[in-house]
């Protein structure tokens, strides 16, 4: 689920009202033009597709990354990043829409998921945000991708935010579910109102050895519970869940997950190699690339109100709420809306 441990935390989490999903709010900077590609996107029903073509593998940075690819190899690149505890199947309906529109779509398993593996056994199983962003930049280098449109939700949105903020020359434009999710350990020290703390129950569970052992033993049941809480109106079937849950059997998944949440609370250290990046992120840098932020109207996961982060996007910017009982896994629950946002921001 998303992290809103950022510099605005004190301001917009000062009341109990801010601890729950905000009422739908549309904020708009410059409107994104309707493009010919957008007009040509076919309608799709969520759940139409169930699989990708055979996954590819490539060495990139400290990882051998497993990724799905769709669309023409010479098309403009779109990178789509998944969250926790989900996987690349969040984009199983988005990818063919974008491929048909002429985009080259790359959907990697993040570290600790699916077929992605560490190249060395002694590499720290680090889940801190900067490490995940460096992974994606390394993947772009390995695939010889100079610049891409990047879309994501949850951990994927935070990773996209970081790349857009620190390496804007690599990010043509961005679609970010739940907005601006860049945070820091220092901001994470600030206590929240009780209702907000309640939403982060699993974060505190993971801070204990019992929590680590419990997640190791019950990761599939744990993930199903999170899916249900985060998307209360998404009536996914067993097959849909099982396809993604298989990615959680990665041998490094538990270690990455536990370290990620402990790092946010400040109960686990990061690596020195990422310290300078984390210091830059702690300043909550503005994002200048063209951006569309999105929110489902029934997101049951912790997320900031759009009014709290709108000013962090200083370039061309639009926010939209997707209605119809859409929860946290917006790309899988509302693939048409997500694909349209990618095309709009890519063609802006």
């Amino acid at each position: 689920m998303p992290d809103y441990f950022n510099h605005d935390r004190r301001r917009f989490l000062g009341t109990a009202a801010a601890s729950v999903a905000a009422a739908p709010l549309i904020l708009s900077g410059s409107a994104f033009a309707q493009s010919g590609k957008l007009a040509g996107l076919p309608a799709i029903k969520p759940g139409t597709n169930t699989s990708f073509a055979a996954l590819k593998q490539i060495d990139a940075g400290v990882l051998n990354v497993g990724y799905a690819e769709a669309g023409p190899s010479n098309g403009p690149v779109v990178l789509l990043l998944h969250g926790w505890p989900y996987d690349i199947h969040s984009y199983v309906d988005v990818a063919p829409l974008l491929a048909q529109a002429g985009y080259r779509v790359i959907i990697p398993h993040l570290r600790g998921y699916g077929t992605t593996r560490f190249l060395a056994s002694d590499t720290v199983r680090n889940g801190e945000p900067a490490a995940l962003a460096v992974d994606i930049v390394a993947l772009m280098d390995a695939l010889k991708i100079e610049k891409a449109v990047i879309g994501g939700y949850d951990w994927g949105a935070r990773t996209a935010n970081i790349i857009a903020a620190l390496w804007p020359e690599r990010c043509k434009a961005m679609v970010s579910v739940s907005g601006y999710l860049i945070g820091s350990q220092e901001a994470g020290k600030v206590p929240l109102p009780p209702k907000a703390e309640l939403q982060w129950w699993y974060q505190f569970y993971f801070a204990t050895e019992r929590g680590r052992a419990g997640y190791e033993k019950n990761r599939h049941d744990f993930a199903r519970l999170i899916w249900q809480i985060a998307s209360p109106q998404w009536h996914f079937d067993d097959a849909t869940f099982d396809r993604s849950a298989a990615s959680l059997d990665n041998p490094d998944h538990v270690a990455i997950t536990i370290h990620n949440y402990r790092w946010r609370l400040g109960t686990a250290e990061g690596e020195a190699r990422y310290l300078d990046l984390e210091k830059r992120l702690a300043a909550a840098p503005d994002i200048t690339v063209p951006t569309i932020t999105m929110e489902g109207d029934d997101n049951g996961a912790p997320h900031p109100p759009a009014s709290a982060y709108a000013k962090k996007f200083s370039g061309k910017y639009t926010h939209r709420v997707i209605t119809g009982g859409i929860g946290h896994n917006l790309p899988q629950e509302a693939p048409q809306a997500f694909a349209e946002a990618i095309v709009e921001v890519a063609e802006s």
Side-chain angles (χ1 to χ4, degrees), residues 95-151:
L97 292 179
L98 296 177
Q100 289 177 57
Y103 294 96
R104 180 188 180 192
V105 186
I106 307 290
I107 313 167
H109 279 295
L110 302 183
R111 57 169 60 193
Y113 293 82
T115 60
T116 292
R117 297 290 188 274
F118 285 90
L119 294 172
S121 60
D122 59 351
T123 301
V124 177
R125 272 40 178 178
N126 182 350
E128 70 179 292
L132 273 72
V134 169
D135 289 346
I136 300 304
V137 174
L139 176 63
M140 294 176 69
D141 290 343
L143 293 171
K144 296 180 170 55
I145 295 169
E146 181 178 349
K147 203 167 191 175
V149 174
I150 307 178

Side-chain angles (χ1 to χ4, degrees), residues 255-269:
I256 295 296
T257 298
I258 297 302
H259 185 265
N260 178 281
Y261 287 104
R262 289 182 180 181
W263 184 92
R264 297 190 206 182
L265 285 179
T267 61
E269 295 295 325

